Amino acid sequence: QLRLPLPVGRLKILAIATAMSAFFALLMNKITAYNSVTLFLNRSLVSLLVLLQFDFFYWPYIALIVVSHLLIDLIKLNLENKINERVLFSVDQLAHLIVIGIVVYIIHPFRLDFEKLYAPESLLLVLAILLTSFVSSILMKILLSRWFIEDNSDDSLKSAGKYIGILERLFVFAFIMLNQWSAIGLLITAKSVFRFSDLSRAKDRKLTEYILIGTLMSFGLAFLIGLLYKYLFGLL
């Protein structure tokens, strides 16, 4: 019979799964240094004993996680170079999470309330994130299309500017939600420092003005969407 509160029991299972996953990650990456693996194994076993408080009730579930992790990784190794690497990695991690979720459910049954996904608060958040990321990118592309600046640099990543803009707007949106206004100033300063070094080397006034307009527009959209989200969320 379990002697642990519900949250503690779940944390134990997650901690066990994390420890064993890390151990098998080392093995699957073909680390052959005997001392490193032995030291990690000893520490993992000691950590497990402490987490379990020497309660052997969890050992069958540990074995289930370990065996499933090993089988999943073996399947992943056999599918390498046959399936897209990013797709294979995503499916691999999802399979591990499903196994951990099943084990947690077996020990402490829980119910997933999917109705909350359709709540007005959740839908408003999803809409705000979509507006901040992809919709803003399309809008900026349309607004900036009247100026065409040819980029002759070969050392730039493909579509890097687009993803940098998406990330910076998401950061601004998150900082507004957390009322961390000083962090937004730090983000603007950091981007300005990096951009200034690039522009000073380019010595192109048109490029400087183009990037300045894009940056101000990007931050302005993030501010507008973030403040509008907070206002609408307060009305719900």
Side-chain angles (χ1 to χ4, degrees):
Q1 187 175 0
L2 291 178
R3 300 188 299 272
L4 296 168
L6 180 67
V8 177
R10 291 184 183 176
L11 286 176
K12 275 189 174 184
I13 294 298
L14 293 177
I16 292 167
T18 302
M20 301 311 296
S21 297
F23 172 68
F24 275 97
L26 286 176
L27 293 182
M28 300 309 293
N29 283 325
K30 300 178 181 179
I31 295 179
T32 57
Y34 174 79
N35 292 333
S36 299
V37 175
T38 303
L39 179 62
F40 185 86
L41 179 59
N42 290 336
R43 289 181 178 178
S44 297
L45 291 176
V46 172
S47 300
L48 287 175
L49 289 174
V50 173
L51 284 170
L52 296 174
Q53 300 173 353
F54 299 93
D55 184 357
F56 292 97
F57 172 83
Y58 291 101
W59 285 107
Y61 303 102
I62 295 176
L64 175 60
I65 293 174
V66 170
V67 172
S68 65
H69 191 107
L70 181 60
L71 292 176
I72 292 171
D73 280 354
L74 287 175
I75 295 173
K76 178 185 175 183
L77 286 175
N78 291 327
L79 293 177
E80 285 184 353
N81 302 322
K82 299 179 181 178
I83 300 178
N84 183 276
E85 184 178 357
R86 285 174 291 184
V87 174
L88 186 60
F89 174 79
S90 301
V91 174
D92 171 70
Q93 298 304 309
L94 180 61
H96 292 315
L97 290 175
I98 290 175
V99 171
I100 294 174
I102 291 174
V103 171
V104 172
Y105 182 82
I106 292 174
I107 298 177
H108 298 294
F110 59 90
R111 185 175 67 89
L112 297 177
D113 189 5
F114 291 102
E115 293 182 358
K116 292 183 179 180
L117 295 177
Y118 301 100
E121 295 83 358
S122 301
L123 295 177
L124 180 61
L125 178 60
V126 172
L127 177 62
I129 292 175
L130 291 176
L131 289 174
T132 305
S133 54
F134 299 104
V135 176
S136 294
S137 295
I138 297 173
L139 180 61
M140 289 182 59
K141 184 177 180 180
I142 294 173
L143 294 176
L144 293 173
S145 61
R146 60 178 299 183
W147 300 293
F148 176 73
I149 303 296
E150 186 176 359
D151 187 8
N152 296 320
S153 60
D154 297 329
D155 56 348
S156 177
L157 297 175
K158 183 180 179 180
S159 302
K162 172 185 174 181
Y163 294 111
I164 291 174
I166 290 175
L167 289 174
E168 71 185 14
R169 288 192 297 275
L170 289 175
F171 275 121
V172 171
F173 179 80
F175 290 147
I176 292 176
M177 296 303 98
L178 299 172
N179 289 320
Q180 296 295 325
W181 301 98
S182 58
I184 298 176
L186 179 62
L187 180 63
I188 295 175
T189 303
K191 183 177 181 181
S192 300
V193 170
F194 285 111
R195 278 299 191 185
F196 178 77
S197 61
D198 293 336
L199 295 175
S200 61
R201 289 195 301 267
K203 296 181 180 180
D204 189 338
R205 180 170 181 149
K206 291 184 179 180
L207 180 61
T208 302
E209 293 172 345
Y210 181 82
I211 292 178
L212 181 59
I213 293 173
T215 298
L216 293 176
M217 190 180 296
S218 179
F219 279 102
L221 287 171
F223 272 108
L224 179 62
I225 296 171
L227 294 175
L228 182 60
Y229 170 80
K230 291 191 71 175
Y231 173 75
L232 294 176
F233 187 81
L235 296 178
L236 296 177

